[in-house]
Amino acid sequence: MPDYQWFVRIHDDDTTSMIVALYLLHRLCGVAWPQAAQLTVAVQRKGFADVAACASRDEAEGLVVALQRGGLRATLRCR
């Protein structure tokens, strides 16, 4: 069975503030504040950013759901 790497991606939207995105990245993804700020800027510039990599699909899906409940547009992808 191949070893998949699951990625959580957040997308830019018109409703969620940068402060909320920073908080959720720090709290749910365990990203340090400076890196969370860089990721939110990347989302605003490119429209999306990969914010976490997970070994299992279940773990990644759980994180996507948590981010969505916090108000972010998040998706899951496999590379």
Side-chain angles (χ1 to χ4, degrees):
M1 184 168 198
D3 185 37
Y4 291 110
Q5 189 81 19
W6 296 93
F7 291 89
V8 175
R9 178 175 280 186
I10 59 171
H11 303 269
D12 193 19
D13 62 35
D14 294 334
T15 58
T16 308
S17 71
M18 188 171 177
I19 299 298
V20 170
L22 282 167
Y23 174 77
L24 292 172
L25 289 174
H26 177 71
R27 178 79 175 179
L28 299 176
C29 299
V31 177
W33 289 110
Q35 185 183 5
Q38 290 174 350
L39 287 169
T40 55
V41 169
V43 169
Q44 288 181 335
R45 288 186 181 156
K46 293 186 344 183
F48 65 89
D50 290 335
V51 296
C54 302
S56 74
R57 182 176 182 158
D58 289 340
E59 180 185 356
E61 285 178 346
L63 184 54
V64 166
V65 169
L67 290 167
Q68 289 174 344
R69 285 182 179 161
L72 292 179
R73 232 181 97 213
T75 58
L76 173 69
R77 68 184 193 89
C78 179
R79 187 173 357 171

